[in-house]
């Protein structure tokens, strides 16, 4: 009776994909990744840099080959001989004969699924922390008054410190850039932006974010908090579907482009016209983009939170 109860609950949670079905999704995912990864890999081979389009592959720890690998997420069974190859992948398992029989599949049919119990045994703390960040960020009011000044604070008095992006020119020059920092209120709430400030810029920030206060300060208007949806998504692979990870990646890609357009760098020759946040018109354009990104990020943040809630709920019977 207990065995039957386990199997009924297992089947209710599982989505079974034929080899043709999941291979089509895998191919579509790999093509989606190639649009971004292939140019980056070509530049890397040639020893070239791109200040905007390399970022997601150099700042974040997920590499192109890892991103290209497709995962269906928890609760999906993959059928076919190629699926059986995943038995050696971390956090995957093969269905046993009882599970196969209950699914109407012959004994020893090649069928694998993401191993939810093994994943949680290894990554339960990561799941819990991601949920804290996502839920806490969503619960706070969005702030839209930063105008991307974190990038300017990273080069404040840069002549005294190591140059950041030394191959790029400052649009207003060093003195003009410093004046923008000094003439504006700076209130960055995101630690992973704040930690790159020059030493002279640190006391100008009205907040002092740290890794310890991250869970209390992140808010849904912040560009970097919304970019980091990609980080939380890929860190929880293979428990999340790769399609959701790529949704977060593409949002982060577009945010990075706008973030650098509003930066102090002159990126016109790279195809990225400036958003001059030192002017009222530039500030208004920045906020318009920022609000649009925040609305899109809210939907993805909710999807990620739902996935985590299902993942960390009651374990397999």
């Amino acid at each position: 009776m207990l065995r039957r109860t386990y199997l009924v609950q297992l089947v209710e949670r599982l989505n079974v994909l034929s080899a043709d079905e999941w291979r089509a999704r895998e191919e579509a995912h790999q093509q989606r990744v190639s649009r971004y990864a292939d140019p980056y890999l070509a530049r890397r081979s040639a020893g070239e840099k791109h200040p905007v389009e390399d970022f997601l592959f150099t700042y974040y720890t997920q590499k192109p080959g890892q991103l290209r690998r497709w995962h269906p997420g928890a609760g999906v069974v993959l059928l076919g001989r190629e699926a059986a190859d995943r038995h050696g992948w971390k956090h995957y398992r093969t269905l046993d004969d009882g599970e196969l029989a209950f699914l109407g599949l012959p004994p020893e049919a090649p069928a694998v699924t993401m191993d939810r119990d093994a994943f949680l045994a290894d990554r339960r703390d990561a799941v819990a922390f991601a949920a804290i960040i996502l839920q806490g960020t969503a619960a706070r009011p969005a702030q839209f008054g930063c105008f991307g000044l974190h990038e300017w604070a990273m080069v404040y008095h840069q002549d005294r410190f190591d140059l950041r992006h030394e191959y790029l020119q400052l649009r207003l020059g060093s003195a003009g850039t410093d004046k923008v920092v000094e003439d504006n209120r700076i209130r960055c709430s995101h630690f992973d932006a704040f930690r790159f400030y020059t030493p002279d810029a640190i006391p100008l920030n009205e907040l002092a974010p740290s890794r310890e206060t991250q869970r209390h300060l992140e808010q849904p208007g912040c560009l970097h908090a919304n970019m980091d949806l990609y980080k939380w998504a890929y860190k929880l692979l293979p428990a999340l579907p790769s399609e959701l990870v790529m949704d977060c990646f593409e949002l982060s890609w577009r945010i990075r482009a706008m973030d650098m357009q509003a930066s102090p760098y002159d990126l016109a020759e790279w195809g990225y016209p400036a958003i001059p946040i030192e002017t009222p018109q530039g500030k208004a354009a920045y906020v318009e983009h920022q609000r649009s990104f925040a609305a899109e990020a809210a939907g993805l943040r909710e999807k990620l939170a739902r996935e985590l809630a299902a993942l960390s709920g009651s374990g397999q019977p």
Side-chain angles (χ1 to χ4, degrees), residues 25-33 67-68 242 246:
R25 285 179 59 182
E26 180 182 57
E27 182 177 355
H29 169 74
Q30 291 174 348
Q31 290 177 354
R32 190 177 179 187
V33 173
L67 184 61
R68 201 184 301 273
S242 287
M246 278 304 294

Side-chain angles (χ1 to χ4, degrees), residues 52-109:
V52 179
E53 297 173 10
D54 290 351
F55 181 78
L56 267 62
F57 297 114
T58 56
Y59 176 76
Y60 292 109
T61 59
Q62 179 87 332
K63 302 307 178 187
Q66 296 170 310
L67 184 61
R68 201 184 301 273
R69 178 175 279 193
W70 176 79
H71 300 282
V76 180
V77 172
L78 306 180
L79 303 180
R81 284 177 295 188
E82 288 180 296
D85 294 341
R86 296 182 178 229
H87 178 69
W89 292 16
K90 190 173 183 179
H91 298 138
Y92 277 83
R93 68 175 181 86
T94 302
L95 271 64
D96 64 31
D97 287 346
E99 293 165 342
L100 291 172
F102 211 79
L103 289 170
L105 299 170
E108 300 183 359

Side-chain angles (χ1 to χ4, degrees), residues 166-208:
E166 70 283 352
Y167 62 101
L168 299 178
Q169 297 296 316
L170 295 177
R171 186 167 52 82
L172 302 180
S174 293
T177 299
D178 292 347
K179 188 174 188 305
V180 171
V181 174
E182 293 160 357
D183 287 351
N184 284 273
R185 178 188 184 195
I186 306 180
R187 189 179 170 80
C188 179
S189 59
H190 197 274
F191 172 67
D192 284 316
F194 178 71
R195 68 190 176 98
F196 291 108
Y197 278 26
T198 64
D200 286 358
I202 289 174
L204 302 179
N205 203 68
E206 294 184 5
L207 300 172

Side-chain angles (χ1 to χ4, degrees), residues 65-273:
Q66 296 170 310
L67 184 61
R68 201 184 301 273
R69 178 175 279 193
W70 176 79
H71 300 282
V76 180
V77 172
L78 306 180
L79 303 180
R81 284 177 295 188
E82 288 180 296
D85 294 341
R86 296 182 178 229
H87 178 69
W89 292 16
K90 190 173 183 179
H91 298 138
Y92 277 83
R93 68 175 181 86
T94 302
L95 271 64
D96 64 31
D97 287 346
E99 293 165 342
L100 291 172
F102 211 79
L103 289 170
L105 299 170
E108 300 183 359
V112 300
T113 191
M114 179 261 172
D115 192 335
R116 182 168 171 265
D117 286 348
F119 179 84
L120 287 175
D122 289 344
R123 305 300 311 281
R124 190 177 296 277
D125 288 347
V127 171
F129 185 71
I132 288 170
I133 294 293
L134 294 170
Q135 293 167 10
T137 302
R140 297 183 190 99
Q143 304 295 320
F144 298 107
C146 70
F147 306 121
L149 285 162
H150 54 274
E151 289 288 343
W152 298 69
M154 293 177 193
V155 293
Y156 181 63
H157 289 170
Q158 73 165 10
D159 53 318
R160 302 181 187 176
F161 309 103
D162 292 336
L163 293 179
R164 183 172 173 81
H165 301 308
E166 70 283 352
Y167 62 101
L168 299 178
Q169 297 296 316
L170 295 177
R171 186 167 52 82
L172 302 180
S174 293
T177 299
D178 292 347
K179 188 174 188 305
V180 171
V181 174
E182 293 160 357
D183 287 351
N184 284 273
R185 178 188 184 195
I186 306 180
R187 189 179 170 80
C188 179
S189 59
H190 197 274
F191 172 67
D192 284 316
F194 178 71
R195 68 190 176 98
F196 291 108
Y197 278 26
T198 64
D200 286 358
I202 289 174
L204 302 179
N205 203 68
E206 294 184 5
L207 300 172
S210 66
R211 189 65 70 202
E212 291 71 29
T213 61
Q214 181 179 12
R215 67 184 66 196
H216 305 298
L217 288 180
E218 293 203 4
Q219 48 86 15
C222 173
L223 293 188
H224 280 260
N226 294 331
M227 288 178 67
D228 279 351
L229 292 177
Y230 169 56
K231 175 178 71 174
W232 302 120
Y234 78 71
K235 282 182 176 294
L236 297 173
L237 287 171
L240 302 185
S242 287
E243 289 87 350
L244 177 55
V245 176
M246 278 304 294
D247 288 344
C248 295
F249 176 96
E250 290 180 340
L251 172 62
S252 186
W253 181 278
R254 288 183 281 112
I255 291 175
R256 171 63 177 178
M258 194 277 275
D259 194 32
M260 289 301 284
Q261 286 179 269
S263 78
Y265 303 110
D266 186 351
L267 299 176
E269 67 178 84
W270 299 86
Y272 292 89

